[in-house]
Amino acid sequence: MKNGLALFFGAFAVLALSTGAVLYSAHKQLGSLTQYKDPVDEALHPAPLTGLADQGRAVYQDLGCVSCHTQQVRREGFGGDTARQWGTRQSVARDYIREKTVFLGSSRIGPDLRNVAARAYADEAYLYTILYAPHAVAPGTNMPSYDFLFDVHPVRPGQASPYALKLSGKAAAPAGHEVVPTHRARALVAYLRSLNDSYEYPEAKPFTAEAAKEEGK
């Protein structure tokens, strides 16, 4: 073909420009999002991660938790996320602006964790226990144990660790021993305890034709 090379480079240029335009527009729209100031108490949302929680984010990534857990709640009517009580509203882009890496995930072998801190049962003790001995708090779960995040050592007389887990039954530590979370475990739990997107941003309200009509849109 006489003009084959020109056509190839022309098509390549069109494809490159269109791809660049899509990426630029997405970055301009989402990358410029900032914290939302509550008009009543002037608090900023989402709150930044604490230092320990940020370290836990790295542990979450290192352990590959994203392989089995998503962090994205779908709106009501799209799947059963709200019925499962994984969140009270859909996830929106502003939820993730504090994240260096967004762990949306694609496989839900385990529950979505985006709002795990909002669940009444998911306190620190529960999270430590499900990491160390999953079946102790979730019988029948397919979650593996992450017991390597804990130290099991003899209790020193009068010097029991304030972080020692309170376990019973098969999960209990051997007599005279205690199970203590390592720094990585404490960081991971701090990160999980930071996952709470229950604040209602204006853009988190699903679009409905009725609401738009009332607002004159």
Side-chain angles (χ1 to χ4, degrees):
M1 184 182 293
K2 188 175 180 181
N3 299 317
L5 191 60
L7 287 173
F8 172 77
F9 280 110
F12 180 79
V14 170
L15 180 62
L17 288 172
S18 58
T19 302
V22 170
L23 293 176
Y24 175 75
S25 60
H27 176 74
K28 187 175 182 181
Q29 180 183 7
L30 303 178
S32 60
L33 284 174
T34 59
Q35 289 174 294
Y36 178 81
K37 180 184 285 188
D38 187 285
V40 177
D41 61 12
E42 298 190 344
L44 295 174
H45 300 275
L49 289 175
T50 66
L52 186 61
D54 193 43
Q55 294 174 32
R57 179 196 54 75
V59 177
Y60 186 94
Q61 182 175 20
D62 182 45
L63 295 178
C65 302
V66 70
S67 299
C68 297
H69 298 279
T70 56
Q71 287 193 31
Q72 183 179 28
V73 179
R74 295 169 294 183
R75 71 173 63 179
E76 192 168 357
F78 290 82
D81 293 2
T82 53
R84 295 187 182 103
Q85 299 183 336
W86 287 351
T88 56
R89 63 163 174 80
Q90 63 179 330
S91 296
V92 294
R94 199 185 302 271
D95 291 327
Y96 304 97
I97 61 173
R98 65 180 188 176
E99 313 279 346
K100 296 175 183 174
T101 303
V102 176
F103 304 116
L104 291 181
S106 60
S107 178
R108 287 180 159 174
I109 297 174
D112 186 278
L113 296 179
R114 192 61 208 172
N115 286 286
V116 66
R119 299 166 197 163
Y121 63 86
D123 57 12
E124 284 191 356
Y126 175 89
L127 294 173
Y128 281 133
T129 305
I130 201 168
L131 287 170
Y132 178 74
H135 291 277
V137 289
T141 181
N142 54 5
M143 177 170 167
S145 169
Y146 290 84
D147 55 0
F148 56 87
L149 294 175
F150 298 82
D151 282 333
V152 181
H153 54 237
V155 182
R156 296 178 180 175
Q159 298 183 22
S161 171
Y163 298 108
L165 305 192
K166 294 179 172 56
L167 301 167
S168 59
K170 295 180 180 179
H177 290 64
E178 61 184 359
V179 179
V180 181
T182 63
H183 180 79
R184 293 182 77 205
R186 293 203 299 273
L188 178 58
V189 168
Y191 172 66
L192 294 173
R193 293 286 297 157
S194 77
L195 298 177
N196 185 345
D197 291 340
S198 55
Y199 185 83
E200 289 284 349
Y201 299 114
E203 67 267 30
K205 298 176 182 176
F207 174 84
T208 62
E210 293 77 11
K213 188 176 181 180
E214 291 177 2
E215 295 174 2
K217 295 181 179 179

